Structure formats: structure tokens, C-alpha cells
């Protein structure tokens, strides 16, 4: 049960901007896991979740996918330094980069392991990211803007 709950927490953290233990507990309860705030607090420590500040100054829980903030910082820097613009077209996200940087940015996007992104194709200065829905494409652009500071 604990493993299933931890997997659900990771899924919820990736899917929603959750900023409190109470909100996480409510979402877990909605998903059929009967938990208290104390249980959620222990799970957060066990999963080594961290709070990050997003663009509007609010904070949310986040998962460091690679277990290393250095690696996360490297990808964040690539995104900040190389992305020049983003736009959506239905369920596709088009990311324009500095010439020659599309492959590095696509690698960073893949490393984020966002469930909305089905996959990325990179050229020299353009990346096409396929998302499941047009709403998720808009969400991906919003999340990327938070990272790159646009």
C-alpha cells in the first residue's frame, strides 16, 4: 500500500501544482488512499520532495528526478540559456532555440519526464514536442516559462 501511495504522490506532484500537505492529502483521498496530514508529511520526507518557487512567487512540491540538484541545475541552465520562444499548435509545442541547441534542449525536456510530453523531435534550432491534448500543450508552455523566466 505504501509503494502504491508513493507512486500516486509522484504522479500527483507531476500533474498538479500542489503547494500544501493538506492539498496533497485531499488529492490522495480523492484517489482512494485514506491518509492523514501526518502520513503525507512522512511520505514527503521519505520521497525527499522539495518545495520550489514558481514564477508568481508561490511554491509547490517538486521531485528531483535524477536525485542530483546539480543535474537539475544543468538542465535548467540549458533551458534558460538556449530557449528563445515557445508556441502551441493544437497538441504540439514548438520550441525555438539558439542555433545548434535544439538537441540539448530536447534532452533537457526529456529529462523532466513530464507526463504531458509524449516525445520530442529536435532539429538544429527547433523542437516539436507532442502532448496528449491541446490543454496539456498549453500547460507545458506555462511550466517551461516558469523555468526559463519568460
Amino acid at each position: 500500500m505504501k509503494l502504491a501511495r508513493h507512486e500516486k504522490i509522484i504522479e500527483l506532484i507531476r500533474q498538479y501544482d500542489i503547494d500544501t500537505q493538506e492539498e496533497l492529502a485531499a488529492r490522495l483521498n480523492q484517489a482512494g488512499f485514506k491518509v492523514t496530514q501526518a502520513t503525507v508529511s512522512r511520505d514527503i520526507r521519505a520521497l525527499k520532495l522539495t518545495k520550489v518557487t514558481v514564477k508568481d512567487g508561490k511554491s509547490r512540491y517538486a521531485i528531483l528526478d535524477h536525485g542530483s540538484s546539480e543535474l537539475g541545475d544543468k538542465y535548467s541552465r540549458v533551458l534558460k540559456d538556449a530557449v528563445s520562444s515557445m508556441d502551441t499548435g493544437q497538441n504540439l509545442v514548438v520550441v525555438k532555440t539558439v542555433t545548434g541547441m535544439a538537441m540539448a534542449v530536447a534532452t533537457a525536456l526529456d529529462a523532466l519526464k513530464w507526463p504531458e510530453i509524449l516525445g520530442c523531435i529536435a532539429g538544429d534550432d527547433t523542437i516539436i514536442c507532442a502532448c496528449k491534448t491541446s490543454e496539456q500543450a498549453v500547460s507545458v508552455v506555462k511550466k517551461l516559462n516558469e523555468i526559463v523566466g519568460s
Side-chain angles (χ1 to χ4, degrees):
M1 186 65 162
K2 185 177 182 180
L3 181 59
R5 188 176 66 242
H6 283 187
E7 288 175 357
K8 188 64 174 179
I9 288 171
I10 290 168
E11 177 185 326
L12 290 169
I13 293 299
R14 287 186 173 148
Q15 189 172 7
Y16 301 102
D17 288 342
I18 297 175
D19 63 345
T20 66
Q21 292 179 8
E22 292 78 13
E23 181 183 358
L24 182 54
R27 290 196 183 271
L28 284 167
N29 282 314
Q30 288 172 350
F33 295 89
K34 301 302 174 205
V35 297
T36 64
Q37 181 271 327
T39 302
V40 169
S41 179
R42 287 189 295 274
D43 288 341
I44 287 170
R45 272 195 309 277
L47 291 169
K48 297 181 179 165
L49 299 181
T50 186
K51 276 202 167 185
V52 296
T53 304
V54 293
K55 189 176 179 182
D56 60 3
K58 293 182 181 179
S59 61
R60 66 175 176 86
Y61 285 105
I63 301 158
L64 295 176
D65 285 323
H66 298 285
S68 165
S69 61
E70 181 180 317
L71 191 56
D73 290 345
K74 180 174 83 172
Y75 286 131
S76 292
R77 181 147 187 202
V78 166
L79 292 170
K80 287 179 185 177
D81 291 348
V83 173
S84 57
S85 68
M86 293 171 273
D87 205 352
T88 60
Q90 295 185 14
N91 68 316
L92 300 177
V93 176
V94 177
V95 181
K96 294 296 227 170
T97 70
V98 175
T99 302
M101 289 299 293
M103 188 62 73
V105 171
T107 299
L109 292 171
D110 288 339
L112 292 171
K113 296 184 181 178
W114 288 346
E116 302 94 336
I117 297 178
L118 297 172
C120 298
I121 299 173
D124 187 47
D125 65 354
T126 305
I127 303 159
I128 303 291
C129 294
C131 297
K132 294 176 182 178
T133 67
S134 58
E135 293 80 13
Q136 288 180 337
V138 171
S139 173
V140 166
V141 170
K142 179 182 169 216
K143 286 174 154 182
L144 283 173
N145 277 326
E146 290 173 356
I147 293 171
V148 300
S150 295

